[in-house]
């Protein structure tokens, strides 16, 4: 049986010979002869032109199919064909999938997304070229089983895209593949793998995926622990130290994030993580880092009211700062310690640390911290009842913040300054009211009408012992809180309130 | 001078279904198909006629007189649908026979599909290209390269003239051109064609689709013949990976609903089976045949390779076993499954061994059910 292949029957093939355009036909009548032109009738110039064209055409290369395809296809298409014909099919797959991934993401984001403004990978020819080069290198290396070379190529590729924030996803992708490659390598005891984990961790950290990042850093730490003394980076830092620093970093971030939510369980988890961070900092043998970790932990303890533990951690921080004379750190430490003492009710200690803080900042010329220090000290003095000093510090704070042009702190300090002055005046004012003789009354009236402050002058001794009858009213704590809440008040407002305060407390005294 | 057989009405020329010569024999079932000789009838019967005899009877019967316009239109539509069905079916069958290596038998089916495609879509339209491609592939298989080139050139030209030609067709065209070049021994051109094939298929279906895998396979064959074993190896590995994953997915999707599956199997067992996509495997017949061809040839290559990696053979065997499992050929599935286990003894991959054991359990269960 022979089912022979029938020839292609071209149905639309026109068997009748079409009109031939080569030779002019005589008109049907037959009477007119076509005008025959002699062959050499063409102008000389025309012939020259023709010859030139012939020469030019013969110089052009004969185009093969692939050459034509180069012009017809897109750049990406040609690149892919090159890769495939050379046999690098895995590189091809990876590249096509990356391009597609980007397009899909764009589609998913919807037509109004800002992603559409950004150039797509398939239009950026130089990036495609780079990718092709490194990917084919990597594939060739992988075929030979030379994992180190493949790792290097992929690492290079990741580095290429590192600088452009739009290409971060590519960096992430290549670092992840780096890690995959590194896992195959068994000869170097996991050094490459450790590096891979570190890079992936950093990527995840940049993408705010802290939990996963922490896992990778832990792996990094575990791997580098066994080879503390052998593995060093280019700049001389040991892998192990680096791992500790990174772990401390990520733990601190996670801890702070957890602490911010305000849930009780989260607070405990936060404490745990911050303790881990401190451990890591200790392992890294970096005093500064350790100090900072202690500080974070101290603050966290303070938050859940474990003041003693908090104090001990803060003292650690204080010492570490003193060790490397980090005045800013000492300042922060003093401030935090003073706050805790204040909460414990230990005013003297608190004042002592704040004074240290003030002195320190005054010396080092850290304006902002100085302002803060004065403010805090003023607050404490205020609450202790030491109004003269309070006034002094608040006026300092007020002036500095005004000089710095920080409107928020200026307002706060202005209010506090006013309160302090009012408090200072209060005792004498009350005294005047209590004595109530003619001079006193006239002074009071004067103050009421024109705000002349003459209360500090000695009272003429009309009633014996009256001058010593000084009553300092303890400041009602809720008043202070209320004042702090209203930071944005204006000066007129303030004056009114001072007055009101004075009048409010008047009847109490009398 | 024409001779009119006496039994025919004058003016009606009966032509052979295959060679278009005057015909003297009639198919006794449908009575609308004619042949010049017994050989051609046999060839057509084996190739396609058996499957489409009744369909042709419907399509070729003289148009009955229908008084109303609506009825006439309705009939037209019906016929158009039938014709398209016929085209699809003949194409799939032809492709299947090609994958099974029966090049000669596939020609009648391909011709039939081409005839009706011209009838429905007209000459020089993109819809004819698949038929041309099948004919081209059959010609390559039969060693008639000049003829193959003719068919493929026709397809190529049509594709070139259709700017928004579907990528799937382009991919198939380039695959056939690649096969042609490979048959001619022009390996470099063949590689370019296969590369184009893979590119278009990946753009259409994704890089890891079974429809892309064919391109990788042919490319691997070219590299193999060029002696670039490392490249061929890695390509074969990718092909196996793609099929392995696909088959594993198919099996996974099937296992939970076994009863449902069993029901569908009894339903499919009728004469309908073999005409439409096999429901249970999720592939059409041509793809099934392709899977058998590709996996078996890779398996052969791996078995004869001396410096192979052990996991390659194991995975190939596993894929083959899953394939036969999907086709309900439990005996063979078990046989390959056992081979895979033997091969995987050298591999220290627990996940793989575990999946193999699971698979064997499934086989046992299926075996007892039948």
């Amino acid at each position: 049986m022979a089912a022979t292949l029938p020839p292609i029957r071209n149905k639309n093939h026109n068997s009748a010979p079409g009109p031939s355009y080569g030779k002019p036909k005589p008109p049907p009548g037959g009477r007119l002869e076509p005008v025959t032109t002699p062959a050499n009738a063409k102008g000389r110039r025309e012939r020259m032109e023709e010859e030139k064209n012939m020469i030019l055409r013969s110089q052009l290369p004969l185009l093969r199919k692939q050459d034509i395809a180069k012009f017809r296809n897109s750049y990406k298409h040609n690149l892919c064909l090159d890769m495939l014909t050379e046999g690098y099919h895995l590189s091809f797959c990876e590249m096509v999938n990356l391009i597609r991934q980007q397009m899909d993401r764009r589609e998913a984001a919807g037509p109004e997304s800002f992603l559409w403004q950004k150039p797509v990978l398939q239009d950026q020819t130089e990036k495609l070229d780079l990718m092709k080069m490194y990917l084919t290198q990597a594939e060739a290396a992988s075929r030979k089983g030379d994992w180190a070379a493949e790792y290097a190529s992929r690492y290079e590729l990741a580095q290429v895209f590192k600088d452009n924030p739009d290409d971060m996803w590519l960096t992430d992708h290549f670092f992840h593949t780096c890690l995959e490659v590194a896992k195959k390598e068994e000869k170097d005891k996991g050094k490459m793998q450790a590096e891979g984990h570190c890079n992936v961790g950093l990527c995840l950290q940049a993408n705010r995926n802290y939990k996963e990042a922490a896992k990778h850093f832990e792996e990094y730490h575990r791997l580098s622990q066994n080879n503390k003394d052998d593995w060093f980076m280019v700049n001389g830092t040991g892998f192990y130290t680096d791992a500790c620093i990174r772990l401390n970093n990520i733990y601190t971030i996670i801890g702070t994030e957890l602490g911010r939510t305000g849930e009780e369980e989260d607070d405990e988890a936060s404490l745990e993580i911050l303790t881990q961070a401190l451990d890591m900092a200790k392992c890294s043998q970096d005093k500064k880092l350790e100090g900072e970790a202690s500080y974070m932990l101290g603050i966290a303890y303070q938050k859940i009211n474990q003041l003693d533990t908090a104090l001990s951690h803060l003292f650690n921080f204080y010492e570490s700062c003193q060790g490397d004379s980090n005045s800013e750190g000492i300042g922060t430490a003093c401030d935090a310690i003073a706050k805790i003492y204040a909460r414990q009710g230990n005013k003297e200690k608190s004042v002592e640390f704040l004074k240290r803080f003030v002195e320190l900042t005054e010396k080092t010329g850290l304006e902002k911290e100085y302002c803060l220090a004065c403010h805090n000290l003023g607050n404490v003095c205020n609450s202790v009842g030491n109004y003269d000093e309070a006034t002094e510090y608040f006026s300092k704070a007020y002036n500095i913040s005004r000089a710095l042009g920080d409107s928020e702190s200026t307002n706060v300090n202005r209010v506090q300054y006013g309160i302090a002055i009012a408090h200072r005046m209060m005792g004498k004012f009350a005294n005047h009211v209590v004595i109530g003789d003619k001079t006193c009354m006239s002074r009071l009236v004067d103050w009421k009408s024109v705000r002349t402050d003459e209360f500090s002058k000695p009272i003429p001794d009309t009633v014996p012992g009256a001058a010593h009858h000084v009553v300092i009213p303890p400041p009602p704590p809720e008043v202070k809180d209320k004042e702090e809440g209203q930071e944005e008040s204006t000066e007129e407002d303030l004056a009114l309130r001072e007055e009101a305060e004075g009048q409010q407390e008047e009847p109490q005294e009398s | 001078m024409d001779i009119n057989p006496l039994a025919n009405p004058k003016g009606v020329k009966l032509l052979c279904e295959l060679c278009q010569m005057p015909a003297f024999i009639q198919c006794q079932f449908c009575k609308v198909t004619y042949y010049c000789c017994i050989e051609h009838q046999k060839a057509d019967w084996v190739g396609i006629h058996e499957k489409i005899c009744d369909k042709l009877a419907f399509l070729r019967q003289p148009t009955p007189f229908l008084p109303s316009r609506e009825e006439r239109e309705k009939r037209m539509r019906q016929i158009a649908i039938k014709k398209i069905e016929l085209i699809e079916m003949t194409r799939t069958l032809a492709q299947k026979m090609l994958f099974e290596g029966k090049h000669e038998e596939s020609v009648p089916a391909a011709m039939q599909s081409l005839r009706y495609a011209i009838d429905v879509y007209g000459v020089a339209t993109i819809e004819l290209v698949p038929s041309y491609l099948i004919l081209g592939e059959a010609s390559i298989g039969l060693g008639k390269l000049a003829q193959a080139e003719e068919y493929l050139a026709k397809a190529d030209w049509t594709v070139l003239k259709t700017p928004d030609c579907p990528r799937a067709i382009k991919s198939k065209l380039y695959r056939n051109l690649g096969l042609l070049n490979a048959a001619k021994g022009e390996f470099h051109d063949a590689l370019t064609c296969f590369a184009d094939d893979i590119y278009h298929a990946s753009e259409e279906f994704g890089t890891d689709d079974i429809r892309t895998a064919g391109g990788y396979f042919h490319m691997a064959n070219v590299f193999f013949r060029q002696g670039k074993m490392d490249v061929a190896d890695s390509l074969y590995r990718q092909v196996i990976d793609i099929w392995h994953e696909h088959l594993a997915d198919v099996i996974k999707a099937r296992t939970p609903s076994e009863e449902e599956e069993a029901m569908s199997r009894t339903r499919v067992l009728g004469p309908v089976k073999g005409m439409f996509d096999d429901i249970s495997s999720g592939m059409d017949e041509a793809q099934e045949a392709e899977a058998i061809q590709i996996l078996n040839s890779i398996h052969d290559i791996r078995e004869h390779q001396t410096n192979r990696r052990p996991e390659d053979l194991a995975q190939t065997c596993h894929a083959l076993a899953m394939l036969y499992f999907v086709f309900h050929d439990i005996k063979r599935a078990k046989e390959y499954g056992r081979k895979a286990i033997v091969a995987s003894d050298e591999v220290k991959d627990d996940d793989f061994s575990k999946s193999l054991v699971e698979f064997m359990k499934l086989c046992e269960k299926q075996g007892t059910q039948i």
Side-chain angles (χ1 to χ4, degrees), chain A residues 232-281:
Chain A
F232 288 100
M233 292 185 167
V234 190
N235 57 8
T237 332
F239 269 39
Y240 181 68
T241 322
D242 187 56
C244 290
I245 293 172
R246 300 232 183 271
L247 259 181
N248 163 49
N249 203 348
I250 196 90
Y251 282 150
T252 313
I253 293 172
I254 296 176
T256 344
E257 291 258 306
L258 279 175
R260 218 177 283 157
T261 56
E263 307 262 333
E264 212 161 283
E265 304 150 30
D266 282 351
D267 276 339
E268 272 168 36
S270 156
L271 268 187
E272 215 166 277
I273 297 234
L274 285 174
T275 320
Q276 277 178 335
L278 180 60
D279 289 344
M280 281 302 125

Side-chain angles (χ1 to χ4, degrees), chain B residues 95-144:
Chain B
Q95 191 72 56
K96 181 191 166 198
M97 283 186 271
L98 282 184
F99 281 125
E100 285 165 357
K102 302 176 194 160
H103 299 287
E104 208 166 306
E105 284 91 327
S106 74
V107 173
M111 283 308 293
Q112 201 66 259
S113 78
L114 181 62
R115 194 172 300 146
Y116 276 96
I118 290 175
D119 192 24
V120 174
Y121 302 109
V123 198
T125 45
I126 193 76
E127 279 83 2
L128 308 190
V129 172
S131 299
Y132 281 130
L133 292 179
I134 293 170
L135 282 172
E137 200 176 335
S139 314
I140 297 172
L142 291 172
K144 297 178 180 169

Side-chain angles (χ1 to χ4, degrees), chain A residues 65 76-77 89 97 100, chain B residues 156 196 202-203 207 234 238:
Chain A
K65 261 201 160 168
K76 170 191 158 204
H77 190 155
H89 59 109
N97 285 332
R100 177 167 288 206
Chain B
D156 198 5
D196 241 324
S202 315
E203 288 288 298
T207 48
S234 127
Q238 193 178 1

Side-chain angles (χ1 to χ4, degrees), chain B residues 123-347:
Chain B
V123 198
T125 45
I126 193 76
E127 279 83 2
L128 308 190
V129 172
S131 299
Y132 281 130
L133 292 179
I134 293 170
L135 282 172
E137 200 176 335
S139 314
I140 297 172
L142 291 172
K144 297 178 180 169
L145 295 187
Q147 206 163 7
E149 202 160 358
E150 221 171 309
Y151 281 121
L152 292 181
K154 219 165 162 70
D156 198 5
W157 179 240
T158 316
V159 166
L160 204 63
K161 289 226 290 188
T162 317
D164 50 351
C165 163
R167 282 179 184 280
I169 291 187
K170 273 193 192 172
S171 139
K172 274 205 179 131
L173 168 69
Y174 282 115
R175 189 169 301 177
N176 281 306
L177 283 174
L179 285 174
L180 177 68
N181 279 323
K184 280 199 246 167
E186 288 164 9
F187 290 132
H188 184 260
D189 290 346
L191 280 183
T192 328
C193 289
F194 286 133
D196 241 324
D197 163 30
I198 295 173
Y199 176 78
H200 287 296
S202 315
E203 288 288 298
E204 182 75 19
F205 309 114
T207 48
D208 295 327
D209 193 276
I210 51 167
R211 282 163 288 190
T212 318
Y216 291 126
F217 174 68
H218 291 307
M219 195 172 223
N221 284 341
V222 174
F223 278 118
F224 188 79
R225 279 161 76 179
Q226 278 184 327
K228 292 181 185 164
M229 283 313 294
D230 51 344
V231 183
D233 242 9
S234 127
L235 275 162
Y236 283 135
R237 198 169 301 128
Q238 193 178 1
V239 174
I240 289 293
D241 279 347
I242 292 171
W243 277 104
H244 189 268
E245 197 180 328
H246 178 79
L247 290 167
D249 280 351
V250 168
I251 290 186
K252 212 166 139 197
R254 263 173 32 145
T255 37
S257 59
E258 266 173 358
E259 285 173 24
E260 202 181 294
E261 214 279 312
M263 269 174 62
S264 78
R265 209 182 316 140
T266 50
R267 203 176 48 219
V268 170
L269 271 179
V272 197
K273 185 172 163 100
M275 297 220 165
F276 300 106
D277 292 359
D278 192 342
I279 302 163
S280 55
S281 69
M283 302 181 269
D284 66 22
E285 284 191 51
Q287 281 171 332
E288 285 175 8
E290 186 186 8
I292 295 181
Q293 186 215 357
I294 289 182
L295 293 182
N296 271 319
S297 52
I298 295 182
H299 179 245
D300 285 349
I301 292 167
R302 292 285 184 222
E303 274 206 319
H304 294 114
Q305 214 174 350
T306 44
N307 57 345
R308 63 174 182 237
R309 291 194 215 161
E311 66 260 29
D312 283 342
L313 183 64
Q315 205 171 18
T316 314
C317 287
H318 189 193
L320 261 173
M322 284 197 285
L323 186 70
Y324 283 119
F325 179 78
V326 170
F327 296 159
H328 311 295
D329 190 345
I330 302 297
K331 208 177 115 225
R332 271 192 173 156
K334 276 189 194 164
E335 183 191 324
Y336 280 111
R338 250 169 253 131
K339 268 193 192 174
I341 289 179
V342 171
S344 71
D345 279 347
E346 299 168 47
V347 192

Side-chain angles (χ1 to χ4, degrees), chain A residues 445-459:
Chain A
V445 171
D446 280 351
W447 179 75
K448 274 280 182 192
S449 54
V450 287
R451 295 281 149 85
T452 46
D453 182 8
E454 289 171 336
F455 298 122
S456 337
K457 286 182 191 165
I459 305 168

